[in-house]
Amino acid sequence: MDFTYFTGWLMLLSWKRLMKPFYLFITKAGIACKRRLTVFVCSLLSLTPLFSQTSNISGIVNTYHKIIEIIPAKACVRVADITGLDINSYVMIVQMKGASVDQANGASFGTVTAMNGAGDYEIGTVCYIIGDSVFLFHNLLNTYNYTSGKVQLVQFGQYYSANIVDTVKAASWDSTAGTGGVIALFADQDITVNAPIYADSSGYAGGPHYSHTGNCNPIVGTGYFYNPAAADPTNGAYKGEGIATVTSTNYLGGRGAYANGGGGGNNHNNSGGGGSNLSAGGLGGRNSSSGPFNCNLNNNSGVAGWPLNSSSGTKIFLGGGGGAGHANNGTALSNYGGNGGGIVFIWATNLWGSDTISANGGRGGASTSDGAGGGGAGGTIVLNINNYSPTVKIKTNGGNGGNSNNSAVNNRCFGGGGGGSGGAIYFSGPVHSNAFMDGGIAGQESNSLGTCSSRPGVDGIDGTGFPGYVFPRSTDPAGYCTVLLPVQLISFNASLVNKKVFLKWEVGNPADIKWFVIERSADANQWTTLRSIATNNQVHQYNMIDENPPAGKNYYRIRFIEINTSISYSPVKLVITGDHSFTVYPNPASGKISVRGNFTTPADMRIADMSGKIIYQKNITTAAAEIDLPHLTAGIYLLWLNQSVQKIVIR
């Protein structure tokens, strides 16, 4: 073979994975639909970088959309704002809240009595957008409580390959807006982690600081809930946030944990409990001061967040926020609870690099002669990856509890905040060797004087890694999407044979199409018509040969002119023409090959099987290299060197 077409071939695989089934469309009704056609065409053109290059990315790459209604019969969700949403993009639908809890004033306060869909999620693909309505290619798996469960739609950052060049971040969870806290990335091939993917402290909020009045004598708060801003001196500090929405201001404070949010320290000067995920957080430290305030053995610190149940991974959660410490000295505003970690979802063939993917919980705030804050729980990471670099670090650690400074006052001992629990990490293969899900450490106590004995906080429990995970995704086609998109493109292939480009395509309903216009471009921007082909109502498969493609990159697309004169476009295909810059011998080979040529070094050499999976990678520093191959099953493979590719046979 004296040609290279691997990039175009990968584009076909990418398109099939992204767009099964993919239907080109043109709406046949109204001005609004014509406007949507423009969006659709632009979205197709914007996919060109996905199929032709590595994208350097940083910052917030997702868009977040509050769901205000769901219409299951049409696989449709209505969102508060469609800004940034694209047709054909992957999206995550996830319910952030909605659980019910025990509200009795006792030791079981805040335990989850019903999940009510909290944590349910799935991955879908957008087929059409009209007004505020987003239609999906497949019917929904779950029934979501969008009226009170704070359900959001998160659009993926979607690439052919992506290089993280500066920190990729999550927009922090905003409970009022009902959005944020999630990073979702898709790459058809590689994601290279050269900078952090960072969702630390992006989850449920820790309890905020509040400066109370008075001291513990003669009244001590023993209840599990209080309005933290009330004048009653028995009140407790703010609880951390979790998967249940607080239904009354009376439940905002006090030592009882509210679902996976840690409890706030009660009057007087007790510390907050750590937040939780699938594991429990740690109990807050207790004020064990003695002397004139008579607060000795005050066991009313914040209860740790309750552990949640989703070992199957059908539910995913933000880390619970830590509870705040009780404060009355007003010396600092730093004894808040730590925020929980966010959610990170990554879907790619390969994960390279040596930086960190993290959804750690935040540390609880420190205190001076007051209660300290509990740590936030680690969040959730889902990795649907075929091949990992062993140097990538993956973390959902719980936040440490806040330290407590007794300010060198006689007979005062204020225990530190409880640690947040470790989070959860789901792997499509085995658990990665460089994964960390440690529980947060309880806050430390310092500068104690006198006879009081320390009653410290408790560490959070470690989280869990789950192997062999399959994320939830519907495969049931949505019939309404087919109605919206009447023109059906079944396949479109482009390949280079003997220096000619062979184009082949198939449509499901040729009777709706009048002309196929085949176009070529050198930059996927300026297009030239190569040929117009009239359709035959009875023929579904068509082809054309570009006899004289210029050397270099050649982009191809088909413009569909329908019977009603409407216009739509195919996906874009890339074929690279020109001679190979290297040779491989022997071919067939076994055990060892020699690579010779006129190519730039150092060069990235990869060997892929015919499904496109990269199974071997090596950096070549000379233009004449001897390479010892790993053990490969006999068959045909693709050897990719920089931008050129050749088939090799292993025997």
Side-chain angles (χ1 to χ4, degrees), residues 379-423:
T380 302
I381 296 177
V382 178
L383 298 175
N384 191 68
I385 306 291
N386 291 346
N387 304 299
Y388 292 93
S389 167
T391 55
V392 174
K393 297 172 284 292
I394 307 161
K395 298 181 178 182
T396 57
N397 296 328
N400 294 340
N403 294 333
S404 181
N405 183 349
N406 296 305
S407 197
V409 176
N410 284 333
N411 304 321
R412 287 192 178 179
C413 291
F414 302 96
S421 79

Side-chain angles (χ1 to χ4, degrees), residues 428-516:
S428 56
V431 174
H432 192 274
S433 59
N434 220 3
F436 304 90
M437 299 147 279
D438 302 334
I441 300 171
Q444 303 300 302
E445 187 174 353
S446 63
N447 292 324
S448 295
L449 297 176
T451 60
C452 57
S453 59
S454 177
R455 302 177 71 83
V458 177
D459 296 345
I461 305 300
D462 292 346
T464 307
F466 300 90
Y469 177 68
V470 178
F471 65 84
R473 185 184 182 202
S474 174
T475 58
D476 180 23
Y480 196 75
C481 195
T482 304
V483 173
L484 290 171
L485 313 179
V487 176
Q488 303 173 18
L489 177 66
I490 297 173
S491 65
F492 175 36
N493 302 319
S495 59
L496 186 64
V497 179
N498 295 328
K499 300 183 180 181
K500 300 177 182 180
V501 176
F502 285 73
L503 303 172
K504 182 178 180 180
W505 63 98
E506 182 178 359
V507 293
N509 53 341
D512 291 338
I513 307 167
K514 186 175 182 179
W515 292 96
F516 301 111

Side-chain angles (χ1 to χ4, degrees), residues 95-120:
Q95 181 170 328
M96 310 303 292
K97 285 180 174 284
S100 300
V101 300
D102 186 336
Q103 294 181 340
N105 192 8
S108 63
F109 175 85
T111 55
V112 176
T113 57
M115 292 297 291
N116 301 327
D120 284 348

Side-chain angles (χ1 to χ4, degrees), residues 208-242:
H209 168 90
Y210 186 83
S211 185
H212 296 85
T213 59
N215 55 50
C216 67
N217 187 24
I219 302 172
V220 175
T222 60
Y224 288 85
F225 58 84
Y226 294 99
N227 179 349
D232 187 341
T234 63
N235 54 23
Y238 278 95
K239 307 176 190 294
E241 183 187 9

